[in-house]
Amino acid sequence: MARRYLRLVALGDSTTVGVGDPVLGPDGREGLRGWSRLLAEALSTGHDLSYLNLAISGSTVGAVAERQLDDAVAHAPELASLIVGINDTMRSTWHPARFAEDLLAVAGRLHDAGATLLTVRFHEHGRVFGLPPALRRPLDLRIDAVNAAYDQVVARYGGVQVDLAHEAGVYERASWSVDRLHPSELGHRMLARAFARELAAAGYDAVLPSLEPDGGIEPSWRRNVAWVVTEGAPWMGRRARDLGPWAARAAWERALARQPEPAP
């Protein structure tokens, strides 16, 4: 029986790049694998697969539209993953209505090109970060707006969606890398497995990726320290300059809201 030919393209940010799931390549150099490659491997067991990962670390939805979308459409995908939005929420330029409009525009072009969309609804990032309530609530509101935009995408274009908040283990420490923003190897495997499960239910021939570590570079305190120095601290510095005034204002406004009304 002839195997079905399938084109898969992945768009998004550092999570889809594979940050948090380092592997050694055939040449002995370190690279990144990530959930989309794990999903591609799961689909390739039953399909002749053409897989293209266009994700770029740090991407916002605007960057996806400008730097990834044309190449994605040119690939003529049958499946297109679109996972973006967290970088948008972490900028002072955040605008929920504009984000929804841009996300719908990207999703619309992929849908019109014949692609079935693979999307997510995000979990509570503040809970994973361990943020205090004064900072968690404003971030949760932004995540809620991102999820509402993805709800609009699904309502208009359909597709396959994974609700991360309902996935077992999403709030366990082992599911996250040292920065608690990117999935660990286990977290990437969980996401790939969730999509493979949904695609299998939709009629695609896909095995479920194992949750057992395999082929990745095991984390160590030396690697964690090196990451914090070279990547984590600079990233935190950029976000602090961008979000510091917003976070302070949000905390102050919440504190004022809890104050009793003055007596007449």
Side-chain angles (χ1 to χ4, degrees), residues 152-176:
Q152 292 182 57
V153 167
V154 172
R156 186 174 300 183
Y157 301 116
V160 173
Q161 188 174 69
V162 170
D163 191 335
L164 297 177
H166 294 160
E167 292 297 317
V170 71
Y171 293 114
E172 294 179 6
R173 183 65 186 88
S175 301
W176 300 97

Side-chain angles (χ1 to χ4, degrees), residues 131-195:
L131 293 176
L135 293 181
R136 182 186 298 182
R137 179 58 178 164
L139 178 58
D140 286 347
L141 289 174
R142 294 189 175 197
I143 297 298
D144 289 345
V146 170
N147 287 338
Y150 276 106
D151 290 342
Q152 292 182 57
V153 167
V154 172
R156 186 174 300 183
Y157 301 116
V160 173
Q161 188 174 69
V162 170
D163 191 335
L164 297 177
H166 294 160
E167 292 297 317
V170 71
Y171 293 114
E172 294 179 6
R173 183 65 186 88
S175 301
W176 300 97
S177 59
V178 63
D179 62 2
R180 303 197 185 194
L181 178 64
H182 299 98
S184 62
E185 178 184 349
L186 174 60
H188 280 283
R189 288 184 171 277
M190 287 168 54
L191 183 54
R193 187 180 178 90
F195 273 120

Side-chain angles (χ1 to χ4, degrees), residues 24-75:
L24 288 178
D27 58 359
R29 295 184 179 182
E30 183 176 323
L32 297 171
R33 177 176 50 187
W35 75 268
S36 70
R37 184 170 143 195
L38 290 166
L39 176 62
E41 292 171 357
L43 288 167
S44 66
T45 61
H47 304 84
D48 288 330
L49 187 73
S50 175
Y51 163 64
L52 177 64
N53 189 342
L54 296 168
I56 301 172
S57 292
S59 289
T60 60
V61 68
V64 169
E66 293 173 6
R67 303 178 62 187
Q68 303 175 36
L69 186 54
D70 286 343
D71 288 338
V73 170
H75 193 63

